[in-house]
Each structure stands twice: as structure tokens, then as C-alpha cells.
Amino acid sequence: NVLEVLHREGYIRSFKKIELENHKNEFSIELKYVDGDPVIKRISRVSTPGRRVYSKIKDLQRNFDGLGISILSTSKGVLSDHEARNENVGGEILCKVF
């Protein structure tokens, strides 16, 4: 679901799921570049299994002055912070992308 958000927001070109032996899955991701520079400069994990970070939508800070996004797990699915603001839902902050 995180890959779908990155694709919708224009950070990656495409992705596909590859099924391997032993019922394992792998993803092939085509990264997006602009003038030879990668679109994703930095991606950082916020919530961890030992420390969950939740935020109300009104308390969610803009990431890199609005140039980056935060990806949230909400009651309406995995959304970017822009989509979560439109839906007016908060949730667990999974990662930040710039």
C-alpha cells in the first residue's frame, strides 16, 4: 500500500509484485528521475514496532515545508498526508519522504 501512495504522489514510476519460490513475494520498483537526479532524496521510517507514532490530522506537521510527504495508516487505508487532510483523518505515521 505504501508503494501505491508513492506512485500516486509521483515519487516512483511503477512497481510490480513478483512471486518467488516458497510462496515468498518480492517487489520490482522503477524509480523516477528528473534530469538524472532521483525524485526521492530521503525516506525515513517514523513508527517502529517498539514505538508507534500517531497524529491527529490537525497536529500533523508539513514535511520539508510542504515539499515532501508523510505516509499514514488511517482507518480509510494507507494515505499521504495530503489525502488524509482531504479525508480529515489522522493515524499512524509510517514514514516521511522527501
Side-chain angles (χ1 to χ4, degrees):
N1 293 336
V2 172
L3 291 175
E4 290 174 3
V5 172
L6 290 174
H7 182 68
R8 281 195 310 260
E9 293 291 327
Y11 284 93
I12 60 174
R13 287 193 188 279
S14 64
F15 66 94
K16 64 181 175 180
K17 183 178 178 180
I18 302 169
E19 293 187 23
L20 301 174
E21 298 175 6
N22 303 330
H23 304 289
K24 294 185 179 181
N25 296 318
E26 190 174 275
F27 288 94
S28 174
I29 304 168
E30 185 180 351
L31 299 176
K32 190 173 185 180
Y33 291 87
V34 175
D35 297 328
D37 294 327
V39 173
I40 297 176
K41 303 286 186 199
R42 185 182 317 158
I43 186 165
S44 60
R45 185 172 165 180
V46 177
S47 284
T48 62
R51 182 178 163 263
R52 304 285 185 185
V53 179
Y54 296 93
S55 177
K56 295 177 184 176
I57 198 62
K58 65 180 181 178
D59 297 334
L60 186 63
Q61 297 176 355
R62 298 232 181 243
N63 195 12
F64 298 99
D65 294 329
L67 297 177
I69 63 168
S70 295
I71 298 178
L72 290 87
S73 176
T74 70
S75 59
K76 297 192 177 185
V78 178
L79 304 172
S80 70
D81 58 345
H82 306 293
E83 295 167 333
R85 280 185 176 82
N86 290 339
E87 295 287 334
N88 197 29
V89 293
E92 180 182 357
I93 305 171
L94 301 176
C95 63
K96 292 183 178 185
V97 182
F98 172 68

